[in-house]
Amino acid sequence: MARIIAGVTSSHVPAIGAAIDLKKTEEPYWKRVFSGFERSKEWMAKTKPDVVIAVYNDHASAFSVELIPTFALGCAAEFPPADEGWGPRPVPVVKGHPKLASHIAQSVILDEFDLTIVNKMEVDHGLTVPLNLMFGSPKEWPCPVIPLAVNVVVYPPPTGHRCFMLGRAIRKAVASYPEDLRVVIMGTGGMSHQISGPRAGLINSKFDKAYLDGLTKDPRKLTRIPHMEYMREAGAEGIEMVMWLIMRGALDDKVKEVYRFYTVPASNTAVGHIILENAPRATKSKRPPRAMRPAAKGAAKGAAKAKRAAAHEAKQDLVRSKR
Ligand code: DHB
Ligand code: FE
């Protein structure tokens, strides 16, 4: 069975991509940003996921005001880098995982999330910059990446709660995929930033740090933040953070925070990054089966209770999602 083992968030500031492409990563301004991702790259190299699901947003590169899907899942075999005005970035073509992506599309759509299926798409800095931050600049990306594009550009974006519930549905979809794959899910964009208008340059570190805390410890509280609060507290583009809740919804309720990094600014944006791991799946022990042990009755009772609690939780999620 496939399994989501960890979730990662990372900002996607386009100037980070330009700093890499123009070989400015050693300049003090950029070194401060990139040094925060050294441990992350080590973690990624050690974790070696079989597939990454990258939740990101397109910035009028693949889509435009003519076509605005709320959630669009990349089911193609390849996603070339988009030309954002200066030619395509010199990064590898993103190789997808059509089989897993189609499986996720089927499972999630039958679970009543109306995803758009995308069989041809170019990807912009929203996806390529986070890949650079987590993988560096290899000749080929080390594993297949399934892009999930979320509309956070044109009003109305999805609510944080909807995003969280989509994450839950993705988790279920991945868990029902027969092949043994270790999947990492990324939530990208954020943190606080506003790139135009009288409040351009707005950064709110207090909001950002509380959001990072909430992401680890109490993500359901974050799902109740209304759009206006993101706009007011974190700037117009701060709304990108709802994408992080898809990542978080796809993880267990309890996670281990293995790394966090926050720095201000990169271009107009607060860079926030966190790595969360699910508890490892219980390995098969050599002990005799529970039924043969004296405490079996109590344990069975505990298991039944946990099953009832999980069913109750799933029902509550459904109730919340229907509100
Ligand atoms: C900046 C940040 C973004 O998220 C983006 O899409 C474009 C620009 C910036 O900080 O300059
Ligand atoms: Fe952006």
Side-chain angles (χ1 to χ4, degrees), residues 12-14 57-59 125-126 152-153 189-190 193 195 237 240 243 269:
H12 68 210
V13 183
N57 74 284
D58 176 74
H59 300 74
H125 69 268
V152 289
V153 171
H193 63 305
I195 54 178
E237 279 75 25
E240 289 174 353
M243 295 188 287
T269 303

Side-chain angles (χ1 to χ4, degrees), residues 16-69:
I16 294 178
I20 296 169
D21 302 344
L22 302 172
K23 309 211 176 332
K24 291 185 175 175
T25 54
E26 290 301 311
E27 290 182 5
Y29 180 94
W30 289 114
K31 208 175 165 83
R32 170 180 50 85
V33 175
F34 287 105
S35 62
F37 288 86
E38 286 307 316
R39 283 201 31 211
S40 324
K41 284 189 286 184
E42 281 167 24
W43 176 87
M44 199 50 125
K46 207 174 78 206
T47 303
K48 282 197 185 53
D50 297 307
V51 184
V52 163
I53 299 171
V55 184
Y56 82 109
N57 74 284
D58 176 74
H59 300 74
S61 304
F63 308 117
S64 71
V65 286
E66 290 174 6
L67 182 70
I68 306 158

Side-chain angles (χ1 to χ4, degrees), residues 197-213:
R199 296 205 309 161
L202 176 146
I203 279 175
N204 183 347
S205 299
K206 201 170 156 217
F207 179 91
D208 291 340
K209 287 178 180 170
Y211 200 90
L212 288 166
D213 288 341

Side-chain angles (χ1 to χ4, degrees), residues 178-189:
E179 200 182 329
D180 262 331
L181 296 176
R182 296 161 64 256
V183 179
V184 166
I185 183 163
M186 290 176 67
T188 65

